[in-house]
């Protein structure tokens, strides 16, 4: 089972996100990919964000889908970021080992930091580093 979870859609509340977490726990996916909603100009959801006055001037697309750009009335930007970072723990605690969850959390955190992400991608170009990551069971790359 593979799932794709999108966090922070216009109108989403923290309580609705908790339902998403519970649904994901119930599905117990073998793999999931999650990202934070980013409104793309020219889309219906971008227009909806404008109508709801959720967009700031000069939308920053750096780290798109990994940085919260909307501050929703029922789900703040800070809450969205926190829940994005802790998603693996919320879904897999009690099901996966603590080490497996930590690896997922670190991978998620790396993707939210431009400098660390680029450094990691650079290191992954080197065979010795890739081999080391495989030996310790690193699943992100």
């Amino acid at each position: 089972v593979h799932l794709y979870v999108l966090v922070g859609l216009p109108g989403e509340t923290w309580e609705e996100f908790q339902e998403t977490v519970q649904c994901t726990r119930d599905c117990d996916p073998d793999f999931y990919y999650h990202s934070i909603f980013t409104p793309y100009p020219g889309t219906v959801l971008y227009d909806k964000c404008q109508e709801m006055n959720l967009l700031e001037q000069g939308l920053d697309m750096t780290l798109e889908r990994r940085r919260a750009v909307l501050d929703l009335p029922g789900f703040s930007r800070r809450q969205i970021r926190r829940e994005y970072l802790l998603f693996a723990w919320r879904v897999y605690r009690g099901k996966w080992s603590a080490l497996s969850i930590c690896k997922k959390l670190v991978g998620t955190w790396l993707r939210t930091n431009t400098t660390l992400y680029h450094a990691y991608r650079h290191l992954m170009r080197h065979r010795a580093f890739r081999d080391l990551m495989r030996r310790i069971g690193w699943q992100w790359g």
Side-chain angles (χ1 to χ4, degrees), residues 85-123:
L85 291 170
L86 295 176
F87 192 75
W89 179 77
R90 300 227 189 275
V91 170
Y92 293 111
R93 72 177 183 270
K95 297 181 179 197
W96 284 7
S97 71
L99 180 60
S100 295
I101 293 172
C102 284
K103 286 183 207 174
K104 197 76 166 160
L105 293 174
V106 168
T108 299
W109 180 73
L110 279 172
R111 285 189 298 268
T112 65
N113 183 300
T114 306
T115 304
L116 291 176
Y117 176 73
H118 288 302
Y120 175 80
R121 297 305 298 164
H122 177 75
L123 287 170

Side-chain angles (χ1 to χ4, degrees), residues 40-126:
Y40 294 109
T43 64
V44 172
L45 284 176
Y46 181 88
D47 295 341
K48 181 173 180 145
C49 289
Q50 282 186 316
E51 290 171 17
M52 297 172 70
N53 292 321
L54 297 174
L55 296 175
E56 295 177 354
Q57 289 288 38
L59 185 61
D60 182 7
M61 296 301 269
T62 308
L63 294 175
E64 65 179 292
R65 295 176 287 163
R66 294 175 294 201
R67 175 184 294 152
V69 295
L70 302 182
D71 207 4
L72 304 172
F75 199 13
S76 73
R77 182 178 303 172
R78 185 175 179 184
Q79 285 176 309
I80 292 168
R81 176 175 162 69
R82 183 183 64 234
E83 295 304 325
Y84 173 73
L85 291 170
L86 295 176
F87 192 75
W89 179 77
R90 300 227 189 275
V91 170
Y92 293 111
R93 72 177 183 270
K95 297 181 179 197
W96 284 7
S97 71
L99 180 60
S100 295
I101 293 172
C102 284
K103 286 183 207 174
K104 197 76 166 160
L105 293 174
V106 168
T108 299
W109 180 73
L110 279 172
R111 285 189 298 268
T112 65
N113 183 300
T114 306
T115 304
L116 291 176
Y117 176 73
H118 288 302
Y120 175 80
R121 297 305 298 164
H122 177 75
L123 287 170
M124 285 301 287
R125 292 186 195 127
H126 300 283

